[in-house]
Amino acid sequence: MHETELHDLSDDADYAASIQQGSESIYRGDSSKQSSGSDPEGAEIVYLKDNVAIHPTQYASERISGRLKLIKQGSSLFMTWIPYNGQSSNARLSEKDKNLYTIRAVPLSEIRSIRRHTPTLGWQYVIVVCSSGLAFPPLYFYNGGVREFLGTIKQHVLLVRSAEDANVFLVNDFQDPLQRTLSSLELPRAVSVANGPSPTLSTESASGGDPENGASDQSSISFQQNGRQRQKHNDPARDISIQVLEKFSLVTRFARETTSQLFRESHIDGFTPNERKKHNQSTHEHQSVITSNDSLKVPEDVPVTSDTPSDPLEFDRLSLVWGKPRQPPLRREEWTTFLDSEGRVMDSKALRKRIFYGGVEHNLRAEVWTFLLGHHEYGSTYAEREYRMSIRKSEYETIKKQWQSISSEQAKRFTKFRERKGLIEKDVVRTDRSLSFYDGDENPNVYLLRDILLSYSFYNFDLGYCQGMSDLLSPILFVMRDESESFWCFVFLMERLGPNFNRDQSGMHSQLFALSKLVELLDTPLHNYFMQNDCLNYFFCFRWILIQFKREFEYEKTMRLWEVLWTHYLSEHLHLYVCVAILKRYRSKIMGEQMDFDTLLKFINELSGHIDLDAILRDAEALCICAGENGAACIPPGTPPSLPLEDPMAYPQLDDDIL
């Protein structure tokens, strides 16, 4: 087979169209080929597209526009996306917020695949997936240009179409003849085994935009060789780049050995070395509890309470400024003092604070959870709540009848329904079966789980059903003991956590990114350790975030943790501080035993059932208070579980072929 055949995309309509149209956006005349005065010698901009946008939230109204470039230097190709200065459709987004999303000089050798999306309505966009399996936020081409983008890449690196999905293009920038042969076979999970270090690019050309066009040009970075050569291997049975949401329990060696620099300092934090130094100095000046290296300044000795259970796993009894002691759960007698004569909650903040520090007694949860989840408003009366429940029960029955009325003949022609139904039926029979509430054959509560999840897949057809949703619904049904009430509580929970299950991983990406920044702020030595050991993708925390620690604690403790998180008392992102608290508590063991990614992942999974919830909540509270505004600034706007705004464009990244 000739080499030209390996690059052949003649069957691709977009690429063919770009050739027919002259590929005017690929090379912008002779003048664009020449390096400008600000570009380093030998760097050539081979593709430039304005008005390419990133959506920091799930809503189309909140976007950041910028300039996308492909830059060739030597034999290497780099991709950059730089936001415009002072241009955003949302006034809430600061320049610092926009810097969080800047893509600075990513070598194509560190990009695994590009997925092209062409919705029936709306704009085309691409999802660039790195070797680690993590994806950059979707890049929306508001003025077209996807075909030229792919065509340019095809002309400079090896690009082959995935045999599994015609809209996925596998990117390889290597010279290894063996790997070329593997790629010519279009093996969908082939990964480069090139030993060479990452190419370097002086990024005056990567980040430098024309001032008159408003593009950011405030940094000059370089990607340096890391001084050690690594071989990248891949287990084809353990691909996480496409199925990571449904296979989060299988994150394995592939994630570690193909980890890119997605979360490394020079790629993603939006700061140059000088800017980062100034940022750290600013952090120190405004946060007295943070030391000069951004680590918490804490006492040496921490009292260990007598009620702390013996942990079979060694852990670092971290010196922390502890939060307030936990209180007994809220009981009915105290609950009534928060209500007026007509049932209104008189002081919702005081109530949320009380629940934050003590949780809720179990026999009261069915009533209180409806407020915490937003099913009922705090200012509603008994009569208003009763009326709303009757209306919503009728609405639920209508939704349920939609899928119940599908005949077997219809189902044969309704692929999405068959597949979703099959996934749900497979998952519910293995969800919390150790509980007597769900135990046994022909258990009616298992059928209720199935019915509610199927109804939700029709209520939110764009999102549908993904593995992990049954874990989130199970405690709600266990508490509510009512099908309609459970459904609506689940609906309101998914308004916050739905982005966790987006196909493009945008919700999980933003949370893992925020977690990396919080660890960098609150425990710099641990952050540096993760960076040195290729653990900055934070995949080992994936399960914690996806299903809100559901499998890390006993059932009762999980419910108590959830109601604390749902109060949003100190922060709506307290779950990220819980992650940091757990990592800090075990940091001595992690660093002392020199855990690599595989060992760390195994250790984290084995923590399940051995974490002291009360101690972790106190640590998380202390971390949240100490981080203050600096911690809040680490979390991009719209990061789940931020309460959503009314927007008809919710979940815009889901197209028709997504389950």
Side-chain angles (χ1 to χ4, degrees):
M1 180 178 290
H2 298 291
E3 182 172 312
T4 55
E5 292 177 330
L6 299 181
H7 292 266
D8 185 25
L9 291 178
S10 59
D11 61 334
D12 180 77
D14 277 351
Y15 176 66
S18 71
I19 298 300
Q20 293 172 5
Q21 295 177 13
S23 302
E24 61 182 19
S25 292
I26 299 177
Y27 299 102
R28 295 182 175 267
D30 294 338
S31 61
S32 69
K33 291 183 180 182
Q34 300 173 356
S35 297
S36 66
S38 62
D39 292 333
E41 183 178 357
E44 177 185 358
I45 300 174
V46 295
Y47 175 88
L48 184 152
K49 191 67 181 177
D50 283 306
N51 204 24
V52 177
I54 281 179
H55 292 260
T57 72
Q58 63 202 28
Y59 303 112
S61 61
E62 300 182 357
R63 69 174 184 263
I64 304 172
S65 296
R67 172 175 294 168
L68 180 66
K69 290 182 183 180
L70 292 174
I71 301 172
K72 183 175 177 63
Q73 186 174 39
S75 61
S76 300
L77 190 68
F78 299 81
M79 183 187 80
T80 72
W81 179 85
I82 308 295
Y84 297 137
N85 280 333
Q87 296 186 24
S88 174
S89 61
N90 190 333
R92 294 186 305 164
L93 295 173
S94 65
E95 292 301 314
K96 185 175 181 181
D97 292 332
K98 292 192 289 184
N99 272 334
L100 296 176
Y101 296 93
T102 300
I103 302 172
R104 301 185 187 278
V106 177
L108 267 291
S109 59
E110 296 186 2
I111 293 176
R112 171 170 172 72
S113 65
I114 300 173
R115 180 179 176 86
R116 176 187 58 193
H117 293 256
T118 307
T120 304
L121 297 174
W123 294 274
Q124 276 193 317
Y125 61 96
V126 299
I127 298 173
V128 178
V129 181
C130 293
S131 300
S132 64
L134 286 176
F136 287 109
L139 295 167
Y140 286 81
F141 288 70
Y142 278 82
N143 291 337
V146 172
R147 58 171 67 97
E148 292 88 353
F149 177 67
L150 293 173
T152 304
I153 293 175
K154 176 264 176 186
Q155 294 187 11
H156 295 279
V157 302
L158 187 65
L159 191 70
V160 293
R161 188 195 305 276
S162 169
E164 295 182 343
D165 190 330
N167 285 315
V168 174
F169 298 90
L170 305 179
V171 181
N172 297 276
D173 187 17
F174 48 77
Q175 301 300 324
D176 188 346
L178 171 61
Q179 197 63 22
R180 284 187 179 275
T181 303
L182 293 175
S183 292
S184 70
L185 299 175
E186 297 195 9
L187 299 176
R189 294 180 176 89
V191 175
S192 171
V193 295
N195 294 341
S198 298
T200 64
L201 172 64
S202 177
T203 58
E204 291 178 6
S205 63
S207 60
D210 298 335
E212 62 269 24
N213 290 331
S216 299
D217 188 11
Q218 301 176 354
S219 65
S220 177
I221 57 177
S222 61
F223 292 92
Q224 303 294 336
Q225 298 179 2
N226 59 13
R228 57 191 178 113
Q229 297 179 340
R230 304 174 193 166
Q231 286 191 338
K232 298 182 179 181
H233 305 277
N234 181 41
D235 180 354
R238 294 177 175 179
D239 180 14
I240 59 173
S241 64
I242 301 299
Q243 300 178 355
V244 67
L245 291 183
E246 296 186 2
K247 303 294 183 184
F248 58 84
S249 62
L250 300 181
V251 178
T252 57
R253 182 176 299 275
F254 169 78
R256 175 177 63 85
E257 296 191 347
T258 63
T259 297
S260 73
Q261 297 179 0
L262 180 60
F263 283 111
R264 292 185 181 177
E265 281 184 299
S266 59
H267 277 244
I268 202 164
D269 63 5
F271 295 108
T272 65
N274 290 335
E275 290 173 332
R276 185 178 301 106
K277 181 178 180 181
K278 294 178 181 178
H279 172 70
N280 290 343
Q281 290 173 350
S282 174
T283 298
H284 176 76
E285 292 170 0
H286 291 84
Q287 192 69 45
S288 60
V289 296
I290 305 296
T291 66
S292 59
N293 68 350
D294 284 341
S295 297
L296 278 178
K297 187 175 183 179
V298 293
E300 292 299 325
D301 299 317
V302 175
V304 179
T305 56
S306 59
D307 59 346
T308 302
S310 176
D311 192 334
L313 298 173
E314 289 185 21
F315 66 90
D316 173 23
R317 298 191 180 281
L318 182 66
S319 298
L320 269 178
V321 181
W322 276 44
K324 297 179 182 178
R326 308 305 298 171
Q327 300 176 13
L330 177 70
R331 299 179 181 273
R332 185 165 297 277
E333 297 78 11
E334 187 180 359
W335 162 246
T336 58
T337 65
F338 286 96
L339 306 176
D340 65 15
S341 59
E342 294 184 330
R344 299 182 187 88
V345 176
M346 295 179 289
D347 189 342
S348 62
K349 184 176 181 180
L351 174 63
R352 291 185 292 111
K353 180 179 180 180
R354 175 65 180 86
I355 296 172
F356 177 86
Y357 285 109
V360 181
E361 192 176 47
H362 183 70
N363 60 13
L364 188 59
R365 282 179 171 143
E367 186 174 354
V368 176
W369 279 19
T370 60
F371 291 94
L372 295 177
L373 289 170
H375 180 26
H376 293 316
E377 297 178 359
Y378 287 104
S380 62
T381 65
Y382 292 124
E384 289 169 342
R385 293 196 287 273
E386 185 176 354
Y387 174 74
R388 174 166 292 186
M389 288 168 59
S390 65
I391 295 298
R392 285 182 170 165
K393 183 174 183 179
S394 177
E395 291 177 359
Y396 173 70
E397 292 300 328
T398 300
I399 296 169
K400 185 176 180 180
K401 287 176 182 177
Q402 291 177 0
W403 62 265
Q404 286 182 326
S405 64
I406 296 176
S407 66
S408 58
E409 289 300 314
Q410 281 181 292
K412 291 178 182 178
R413 298 165 177 82
F414 197 169
T415 304
K416 272 191 171 59
F417 173 70
R418 293 199 315 272
E419 293 179 339
R420 287 178 174 175
K421 186 171 184 288
L423 284 173
I424 291 170
E425 290 178 341
K426 183 187 300 183
D427 284 350
V428 296
V429 297
R430 55 191 184 192
T431 300
D432 295 327
R433 296 307 293 272
S434 60
L435 295 177
S436 59
F437 186 75
Y438 294 113
D439 189 22
D441 297 331
E442 305 298 323
N443 188 316
N445 296 319
V446 175
Y447 292 131
L448 285 180
L449 271 181
R450 178 203 62 187
D451 291 354
I452 294 172
L453 290 170
L454 269 171
S455 298
Y456 180 78
S457 73
F458 270 69
Y459 173 82
N460 189 346
F461 200 80
D462 284 342
L463 185 59
Y465 175 80
C466 295
Q467 186 178 18
M469 290 184 181
S470 60
D471 282 287
L472 296 177
L473 173 61
S474 171
I476 293 176
L477 179 59
F478 177 75
V479 166
M480 305 306 297
R481 308 293 173 108
D482 179 89
E483 184 176 358
S484 174
E485 288 289 279
S486 297
F487 171 81
W488 288 110
C489 285
F490 182 68
V491 164
F492 283 96
L493 177 63
M494 293 304 293
E495 288 294 300
R496 303 175 180 181
L497 300 183
N500 283 13
F501 302 94
N502 286 348
R503 177 70 173 269
D504 65 4
Q505 304 178 33
S506 58
M508 292 300 299
H509 170 87
S510 62
Q511 290 173 90
L512 291 172
F513 168 71
L515 176 59
S516 73
K517 304 305 292 180
L518 287 174
V519 173
E520 183 178 13
L521 172 69
L522 295 166
D523 196 333
T524 300
L526 184 60
H527 169 82
N528 292 338
Y529 176 83
F530 286 154
M531 181 168 57
Q532 294 165 7
N533 289 272
D534 293 335
C535 296
L536 279 186
N537 57 19
Y538 282 81
F539 266 127
F540 47 87
C541 298
F542 197 96
R543 186 175 73 184
W544 292 355
I545 295 174
L546 182 71
I547 54 176
Q548 302 288 281
F549 306 93
K550 169 67 165 20
R551 300 184 185 177
E552 316 314 317
F553 298 98
E554 299 171 2
Y555 209 71
E556 167 61 30
K557 291 182 178 179
T558 297
M559 293 187 288
R560 182 147 52 92
L561 171 61
W562 282 10
E563 56 204 15
V564 169
L565 298 178
W566 294 344
T567 64
H568 288 187
Y569 174 62
L570 287 181
S571 168
E572 60 185 0
H573 299 102
L574 186 71
H575 68 297
L576 297 179
Y577 291 97
V578 171
C579 293
V580 179
I582 297 174
L583 294 175
K584 286 181 72 69
R585 198 166 185 80
Y586 293 92
R587 69 191 295 270
S588 291
K589 186 175 181 67
I590 293 171
M591 298 172 66
E593 297 185 6
Q594 293 290 304
M595 295 185 183
D596 59 11
F597 183 88
D598 286 347
T599 307
L600 179 58
L601 179 63
K602 181 175 182 292
F603 173 73
I604 292 295
N605 287 338
E606 290 177 348
L607 287 179
S608 177
H610 299 292
I611 303 174
D612 182 347
L613 177 60
D614 285 347
I616 289 300
L617 285 175
R618 293 177 67 179
D619 290 357
E621 178 193 358
L623 290 168
C624 185
I625 293 172
C626 289
E629 293 182 357
N630 293 307
C634 291
I635 304 173
T639 298
S642 295
L643 289 173
L645 304 172
E646 291 295 331
D647 194 315
M649 290 296 293
Y651 309 108
Q653 70 275 21
L654 298 176
D655 54 22
D656 289 339
D657 65 347
I658 294 176
L659 290 177

